[in-house]
Amino acid sequence: MIIAQQKQIKEIAAMVSDCKKVALIGCAGCVTVCLSGGEKETEIMAAALRIMRKLEGNPVETITFTATRQCDPEYVEALDGVVKDADAIISLACGVGVQYLAERFDKWVVPALDTNFIGGSKVHGVWEEKCGMCGDCVLHKTGGICPIIRCSKSILNGPCGGSQYGKCEISKDVDCAWQLIYDRMKSLGKLDKLMAIQPPKDWTKSRDGGPRRAVREDVMIG
Amino acid sequence: MSYLSKLQRILDSGQFAVTAEIGPPKHASAHGVRHHAEMLVNHVDATNITDCQTAIVRMSSIAAGVHILDCGIEPIVQMTCRDRNRIAMQSDLLGAYSLGMRNVLCLSGDHQKFGNHPSSKNVYDVDSMQLIQLLARMRDEKKFFSGEEFKDHEPKFYIGAVANPFADPFEFRVDRLEKKVEAGAQFIQTQCIFDMERFERFMEMVRERGIDQRTHILAGITPLKGWRAAKYLQTGVSGMLVPDSLVERLKGAQDPKREGIEVAIEQINYIREKVKGVHGVHVMAIAWEEVVPEIVERTGLFPRPKFED
Amino acid sequence: MRLQYATNIRIVEMTCSGNIDHRVILNAFEEGADGVFVAGCMEGDCHFLKGNIRARKRVNAVKKLLDEIGIGGDRLEMYNLSSAQGGRFAEIANDITAKIKDLGPNPLFKNSSCCGCSCSKEGGDQ
């Protein structure tokens, strides 16, 4: 899922300081699961914003609603009535949701979250980055551990000379992905596969090829 | 413009090579670089010019290389994968070759987190292994990294790489060295050696596989100014192994700087006598270039070979 | 036991302190409360095992938020006590009341004569 974290409430408040009626739109997708932009977080943020603004002598009215998904026109269109009277929209979705709302509504739309990465939960309250979205998966070559995002240098023929005691040179809190890859390949009896020199990556499949698009004609309607 | 690298001629002729390192300055004057080059000119075969080491902005390796070449020393241009994509790398290296540089050392580069621009973006378009392979192909098959052919004047670099016997996983370090040699690394400079026992184990594995027959390994030697420097490398730099006995020896020394020089000399003598498969030394006297001539002289590595042409 | 404690306290019953979320506390302040005292069971005695421990973590998070938005985190406190400690409850209630009195009224309602909303702030300083 997409992992996102809330911005500081003061930063969000500053984005809508001149608005009198603000719609806070949560998302029931990934950000609900990672506890940053679901129904509960949306209501808390609305209350915090109201309190701040009242203390400043500039009260604000809030509307809260949580969309099923903000990354789908179907659910975004359903917000028409909700945001009708608002002079700004605060989206508690990932960057995708913010853009869908901005595209749909002729209003000031601002992000309440910083979209961090795609990953999963380690334990409740801890999420870890796992995929670099490079568009050309190499996990079959690296024992199921992604060197693109989990190695701080995205090295395909690692580990670099900064790997020591299983940790990355950038921090003792960061595992060296290539140590993990080595250990895993060793336990699978496939160390010989690491002797192949991995060629340079074709980054056109990644962000470097420009904004990406996925099309499945077989499921398109009409 | 078709002459060969002097370093290559020395190594290929079976002579024990001596390289040193010059770190370009954090400003725009070549004065210090030239001063160091003049100091080293008769005592080394070539000097590495670091490429913004520890991710601190410094004069470019290639620009500093021009000054060094002008002072009569052959530069080894360091090229990290951190700051340039494959377009910039090739462009810079074409320029370096046109300016007379013949040696290039391919390395990953320290993460920018350590430097003076920690908020910058890193590149890592290709990794050091791929850079070695692509440069070898450029020379041998006249091809750009993309595969497009050169019409003419393809650069023919003498290609070097690094190996760190002190990083983990230790067992894979020799494998990775072998991969680099397969990729096309003609000479290898190692990380600073302080833990001689580990280095000997590493070299034993290297010899078992005959890797020393396929490339030239230069042992990395760093004279230390005192026990604090040793302690810092021991605890503050990932991928370094400094035995406590060395820290203690420097701590107990009356003149720590002299002791640091003595240690470096002992290490070089030991490697030359006892460690088979090492074809040279790479002396990294970090911010202490002036001690290199003494170390070279007192290890019997002076004078250096000369070529008439 | 017919213990006396400050009469201006309004009790909001929850099934477990672990059921308290940020919204309940923020709502209390928006509705005019000058302070909030969360009473959880003794640590180790939670019927749901960790409800009171989680409540404390959440209370700490809300304290931080209250600081950020200008209400002040010191208007919110959590105590652990058992339902058999009526005396202790009265004592804490009085302490909290005194502390909140020192802090003054809820800044959201500083300029209004009463709390300014429909909620009851019974008793007051009478």
Side-chain angles (χ1 to χ4, degrees):
Chain A
M1 75 183 123
I2 289 174
I3 311 296
Q5 285 174 307
Q6 283 188 8
K7 288 177 177 289
Q8 293 286 316
I9 182 73
K10 283 185 176 142
E11 194 185 337
I12 300 164
M15 298 175 196
V16 293
S17 58
D18 56 348
C19 305
K20 296 291 173 204
K21 191 166 186 177
V22 174
L24 293 98
I25 309 295
C27 179
C30 312
V31 294
T32 291
V33 185
C34 70
L35 307 175
S36 53
E39 186 179 346
K40 181 177 159 184
E41 292 78 22
T42 304
E43 286 171 4
I44 294 169
M45 188 174 289
L49 189 64
R50 284 194 304 269
I51 291 174
M52 275 184 86
R53 289 284 292 269
K54 193 169 174 196
L55 286 175
E56 288 165 9
N58 178 24
V60 65
E61 201 182 323
T62 60
I63 305 159
T64 58
F65 188 83
T66 301
T68 304
R69 281 197 300 278
Q70 287 189 27
C71 55
D72 201 327
E74 185 184 342
Y75 300 112
V76 174
E77 283 163 20
L79 298 172
D80 289 1
V82 178
V83 303
K84 185 165 46 82
D85 299 327
D87 28 81
I89 301 171
I90 298 177
S91 166
L92 284 88
C94 66
V96 180
V98 181
Q99 294 183 60
Y100 269 72
L101 297 193
E103 214 167 283
R104 174 79 188 171
F105 304 110
D106 193 15
K107 290 176 190 288
W108 182 234
V109 179
V110 300
L113 309 186
D114 292 318
T115 308
N116 298 112
F117 53 83
I118 63 171
S121 36
K122 186 176 167 69
V123 293
H124 198 69
V126 178
W127 296 271
E128 288 181 331
E129 184 163 28
K130 295 287 185 191
C131 171
M133 297 184 283
C134 70
D136 190 10
C137 193
V138 295
L139 286 169
H140 57 297
K141 294 176 176 175
T142 55
I145 292 149
C146 175
I148 302 296
I149 206 68
R150 294 177 69 186
C151 164
S152 18
K153 300 177 185 173
S154 298
I155 286 174
L156 285 165
N157 294 282
C160 78
S163 172
Q164 200 167 31
Y165 310 122
K167 300 296 174 186
C168 172
E169 69 178 23
I170 66 160
S171 165
K172 290 190 166 54
D173 298 327
V174 177
D175 288 332
C176 168
W178 275 98
Q179 175 78 54
L180 298 175
I181 292 168
Y182 176 81
D183 292 344
R184 171 99 174 134
M185 293 301 256
K186 192 177 179 183
S187 74
L188 293 173
K190 292 186 188 295
L191 274 182
D192 55 309
K193 289 201 183 299
L194 292 184
M195 289 309 287
I197 297 171
Q198 294 307 322
K201 209 162 166 62
D202 175 3
W203 294 110
T204 60
K205 293 169 178 169
S206 183
R207 190 222 53 99
D208 306 271
R212 289 171 280 178
R213 189 172 196 184
V215 179
R216 276 275 308 274
E217 287 190 0
D218 59 327
V219 296
M220 288 169 76
I221 298 164
Chain B
M1 279 294 176
S2 64
Y3 63 88
L4 277 173
S5 148
K6 177 172 141 193
L7 178 65
Q8 180 171 14
R9 287 201 272 179
I10 289 172
L11 286 167
D12 286 353
S13 64
Q15 298 178 81
F16 198 83
V18 178
T19 57
E21 185 167 292
I22 293 177
K26 278 176 79 177
H27 53 63
S29 161
H31 184 77
V33 169
R34 299 185 79 99
H35 174 69
H36 287 136
E38 281 157 11
M39 194 186 287
L40 299 174
V41 66
N42 293 316
H43 289 80
V44 300
D45 305 321
T47 55
N48 288 33
I49 317 295
T50 49
D51 179 16
C52 298
Q53 75 270 31
T54 62
I56 289 170
V57 173
R58 291 171 182 276
M59 183 185 288
S60 91
S61 176
I62 293 164
V66 174
H67 297 295
I68 283 159
L69 201 55
D70 191 41
C71 295
I73 300 192
E74 182 168 288
I76 300 169
V77 173
Q78 293 197 185
M79 176 65 64
T80 71
C81 300
R82 179 192 58 224
D83 305 326
R84 300 170 187 82
N85 68 7
R86 54 191 95 168
I87 300 170
M89 279 176 167
Q90 293 176 88
S91 164
D92 281 358
L93 288 172
L94 294 184
Y97 199 84
S98 78
L99 290 163
M101 281 158 236
R102 291 294 175 267
N103 311 299
V104 59
L105 186 81
C106 308
L107 58 179
S108 304
D110 297 313
H111 196 271
Q112 74 277 9
K113 185 192 161 158
F114 299 104
N116 58 357
H117 289 70
S119 57
S120 64
K121 191 174 192 292
N122 64 35
V123 181
Y124 296 109
D125 177 13
V126 296
D127 65 22
S128 57
M129 193 77 65
Q130 294 157 352
L131 178 58
I132 296 163
Q133 196 171 40
L134 292 166
L135 279 176
R137 189 177 73 162
M138 183 180 272
R139 179 192 59 209
D140 301 336
E141 297 175 29
K142 296 189 177 198
K143 281 180 178 164
F144 285 99
F145 290 4
S146 62
E148 186 191 326
E149 301 219 351
F150 270 83
K151 289 213 167 62
D152 46 26
H153 301 305
E154 75 285 1
K156 295 180 179 296
F157 281 110
Y158 186 49
I159 302 166
V162 294
N164 186 356
F166 311 103
D168 291 321
F170 178 61
E171 317 84 76
F172 194 64
R173 288 294 150 186
V174 180
D175 290 328
R176 191 156 185 263
L177 167 62
E178 190 165 21
K179 277 179 83 169
K180 286 187 176 179
V181 174
E182 288 296 311
Q186 296 162 289
F187 70 98
I188 301 289
Q189 292 173 326
T190 77
Q191 179 63 291
C192 320
I193 300 161
F194 300 109
D195 186 339
M196 194 59 78
E197 201 183 310
R198 170 112 157 201
F199 180 62
E200 289 192 82
R201 271 199 286 146
F202 176 83
M203 284 307 299
E204 207 177 297
M205 289 157 78
V206 165
R207 290 191 303 268
E208 272 168 21
R209 298 205 202 168
I211 301 171
D212 58 317
Q213 308 294 318
R214 289 180 271 151
T215 194
H216 298 294
I217 297 173
L218 280 66
I221 298 294
T222 290
L224 295 169
K225 282 181 178 172
W227 71 271
R228 279 191 186 82
K231 197 80 198 168
Y232 170 71
L233 294 179
Q234 187 182 48
T235 56
V237 181
S238 194
M240 287 270 191
L241 280 181
V242 181
D244 289 332
S245 57
L246 178 58
V247 180
E248 291 308 315
R249 178 171 167 188
L250 292 168
K251 212 181 236 180
Q254 282 204 324
D255 183 347
K257 285 189 172 180
R258 289 254 42 105
E259 197 70 10
I261 296 169
E262 294 306 321
V263 171
I265 290 168
E266 285 169 27
Q267 286 170 329
I268 294 174
N269 288 337
Y270 184 89
I271 288 167
R272 286 185 71 196
E273 284 166 26
K274 304 270 162 89
V275 189
K276 299 280 169 286
V278 177
H279 302 166
V281 283
H282 175 51
V283 186
M284 292 167 273
I286 303 155
W288 204 18
E289 287 86 349
E290 60 271 27
V291 299
V292 175
E294 180 187 342
I295 293 171
V296 174
E297 284 173 23
R298 290 185 50 205
T299 45
L301 292 167
F302 187 77
R304 302 304 311 148
K306 292 228 184 310
F307 296 92
E308 289 312 317
D309 54 314
Chain C
M1 270 198 296
R2 294 245 174 249
L3 291 162
Q4 292 291 316
Y5 62 90
T7 51
N8 53 353
I9 284 182
R10 172 160 163 192
I11 295 187
V12 180
E13 290 179 13
M14 308 284 290
T15 47
C16 169
S17 61
N19 201 19
I20 291 177
D21 85 35
H22 304 51
R23 288 172 292 188
V24 181
I25 299 171
L26 291 178
N27 185 246
F29 284 108
E30 277 197 286
E31 295 291 319
D34 297 315
V36 173
F37 151 38
V38 174
C41 298
M42 300 296 282
E43 288 194 3
D45 278 351
C46 178
H47 183 69
F48 303 106
L49 305 176
K50 286 183 177 171
N52 48 3
I53 295 180
R54 290 185 180 139
R56 183 169 292 279
K57 282 192 191 168
R58 223 167 291 155
V59 163
N60 288 338
V62 179
K63 280 168 82 77
K64 206 171 145 244
L65 179 63
L66 290 173
D67 277 335
E68 284 170 20
I69 63 178
I71 293 282
D74 45 5
R75 290 181 180 275
L76 169 65
E77 291 302 338
M78 175 166 177
Y79 289 87
N80 296 93
L81 68 168
S82 85
S83 52
Q85 291 178 296
R88 175 80 182 125
F89 178 83
E91 189 184 309
I92 296 169
N94 290 332
D95 286 355
I96 286 280
T97 307
K99 183 183 166 191
I100 302 296
K101 263 188 187 153
D102 280 349
L103 291 170
N106 179 339
L108 279 172
F109 300 95
K110 223 179 224 166
N111 300 323
S112 44
S113 51
C114 84
C115 76
C117 63
S118 58
C119 84
S120 48
K121 197 183 170 193
E122 294 110 332
D125 292 330
Q126 292 153 19

